[in-house]
Amino acid sequence: MNKEGHVLNAVLLSIGLGYVFEPAGDVPTFAMIAEISVPIVLGALFPDVDTAFGKHRKTLHNLPLLAVVYAYPVYFGNLHYVWIGVLTHYVLDLLGSKRGIALFYPFEKEYSLPVGVAVSSKWATAVTVAVTFFEVAVVALIVHLDLPVQDLTTVAGALGL
């Protein structure tokens, strides 16, 4: 996906997650959206910094980088929710576009799924929105069905993530 697609995905995801975590639609909902939107958008844009150096969809599109960004708030106490933006960038590149990403860089093999459209396709925005709804639905199922992954959310909350 292109920059606009990643920003659209991050903004819609922030709104959706705000309602998942604070479903009443009142001040706490909008406070949650405000709290998570900037870090998620920044995280969603970060992997494409590799267009300025390195190899695009390799250097900053991989699981080791996601692990570092995820762990950063644990050690430094800031940049909460940025990892969500990085993760959603990867999901959008895997589900929304035809080209894959090198999840295990420096191994350069690109992984992709047999779905998605070309970045220049007239369907790119529709696919971006569909992937975003899928992401919000997955998080809503995890949070509201009290699946075992909910325990991770509780631990993350206790750590201030």
Side-chain angles (χ1 to χ4, degrees):
M1 288 293 129
N2 58 21
K3 182 176 19 180
E4 292 82 11
H6 287 297
V7 171
L8 175 64
N9 174 254
V11 169
L12 293 176
L13 183 68
S14 299
I15 294 167
L17 293 180
Y19 278 94
V20 167
F21 297 132
E22 296 288 345
D26 53 6
V27 172
T29 304
F30 297 111
M32 176 59 73
I33 293 168
E35 179 181 347
I36 66 176
S37 62
V38 171
I40 289 176
V41 170
L42 290 174
L45 291 172
F46 181 71
D48 282 342
V49 170
D50 67 8
T51 58
F53 69 92
K55 298 177 179 178
H56 183 56
R57 291 212 181 179
K58 289 181 177 40
T59 307
L60 297 178
H61 286 71
N62 56 68
L63 296 178
L65 175 78
L66 179 61
V68 168
V69 174
Y70 181 77
Y72 198 90
V74 173
Y75 293 103
F76 297 105
N78 61 1
L79 297 181
H80 303 285
Y81 307 109
V82 171
W83 70 272
I84 295 171
V86 173
L87 178 62
T88 194
H89 184 110
Y90 295 174
V91 170
L92 191 57
D93 280 354
L94 283 169
L95 293 177
S97 68
K98 288 186 175 188
R99 182 178 171 199
I101 61 175
L103 287 172
F104 301 104
Y105 188 77
F107 300 107
E108 295 199 18
K109 181 181 183 334
E110 290 187 1
Y111 294 88
S112 62
L113 298 174
V115 295
V117 297
V119 174
S120 60
S121 169
K122 68 178 181 176
W123 298 103
T125 300
V127 169
T128 297
V129 172
V131 168
T132 305
F133 279 114
F134 172 75
E135 292 168 334
V136 171
V138 167
V139 172
L141 284 173
I142 291 168
V143 170
H144 293 298
L145 291 181
D146 206 21
L147 297 175
V149 178
Q150 178 67 24
D151 296 341
L152 295 175
T153 306
T154 304
V155 170
L159 293 172
L161 301 178

